[in-house]
């Protein structure tokens, strides 16, 4: 198993600044609530909010579905939506990655009854599987191929979130598909 560079720190920084500028322009004068999806989006969100100049609130929810595996379990557990106060506000959900799009769809479904003015998505990365799902994505930093990626907040079995760039995790042919509960034992 090895890591290969995919998106450099410099490209990320520049794209984050572009997105923040567009948010300022698109939402100007409107009540904006950013809803950050933990854990993966924490680094992206921290950089993005510091670039946004207009007033906005920032809240956090957690969503998990991958555990220690590289594929979605298909079951998304979301916590924290009940604490949000977004009635009549425009909600922008901040995601690190839309992969299968299952997490985004589940969040949309659970947020809608909170009666926000609207719900849009801002994701740093988007994979092909999420494009076919009809989520209202207003900002997508990078469309990437179907590789498993880590860094800049994203993990494999809770590791690599601290990398400053984004890298592909490559499994060698001799690596068996990681077992969900043993993945951390396989790390170098
Ligand atoms: C990851 C990622 C997204 C979601 C995207 O979360 O942070 O929230 O999966 O995948 P999907 O589009 O296929 O649903 P994960 O379950 O790994 O939890 P984490 O953010 O705490 O690492």
């Amino acid at each position: 198993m090895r890591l290969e560079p995919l998106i450099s720190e410099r490209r990320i920084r520049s794209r984050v600044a572009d997105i923040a500028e567009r948010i300022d322009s698109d939402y100007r004068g409107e009540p904006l609530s950013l809803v950050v999806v933990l854990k993966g989006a924490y680094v992206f969100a921290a950089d993005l909010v510091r670039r946004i100049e207009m007033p906005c609130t920032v809240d956090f929810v957690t969503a998990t579905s991958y555990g220690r595996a590289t594929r979605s379990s298909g079951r998304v557990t979301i916590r924290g939506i009940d604490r949000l106060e977004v009635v009549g506000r425009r909600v922008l959900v901040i995601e690190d990655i839309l992969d299968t799009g299952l997490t985004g769809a589940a969040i949309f479904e659970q947020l809608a009854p909170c009666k926000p003015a609207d719900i849009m998505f801002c994701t740093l990365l988007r994979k092909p599987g999420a494009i076919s799902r009809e989520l209202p994505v207003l900002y997508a930093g990078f469309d990437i191929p179907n590789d498993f990626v880590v860094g800049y907040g994203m993990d494999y079995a809770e590791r690599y979130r601290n990398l400053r760039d984004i890298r592909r995790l490559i499994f060698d042919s001799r690596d068996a598909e990681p077992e969900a509960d043993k993945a951390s034992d396989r790390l170098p």
Side-chain angles (χ1 to χ4, degrees), residues 35-39 59-63 78-81 84 107:
V35 174
V36 180
V37 183
L38 298 175
K39 299 178 191 172
D59 288 289
F60 300 90
V61 298
T62 62
I78 300 173
R79 294 199 174 83
I81 287 194
L84 300 178
I107 286 177

Side-chain angles (χ1 to χ4, degrees), residues 37-41 63-67 72 76 95-104 130 153-155 158 161:
V37 183
L38 298 175
K39 299 178 191 172
T64 50
S65 58
Y66 282 72
S72 172
V76 185
E95 266 283 27
D96 49 323
I97 184 166
L98 294 175
D99 186 336
T100 62
L102 275 175
T103 303
M154 289 167 281
D155 76 311
E158 293 302 329
R161 293 193 197 273

Side-chain angles (χ1 to χ4, degrees), residues 8 40 66 76 82 103 106 110 117 129 151-152:
S8 69
Y66 282 72
V76 185
D82 50 324
T103 303
Q110 293 194 24
Y152 199 67

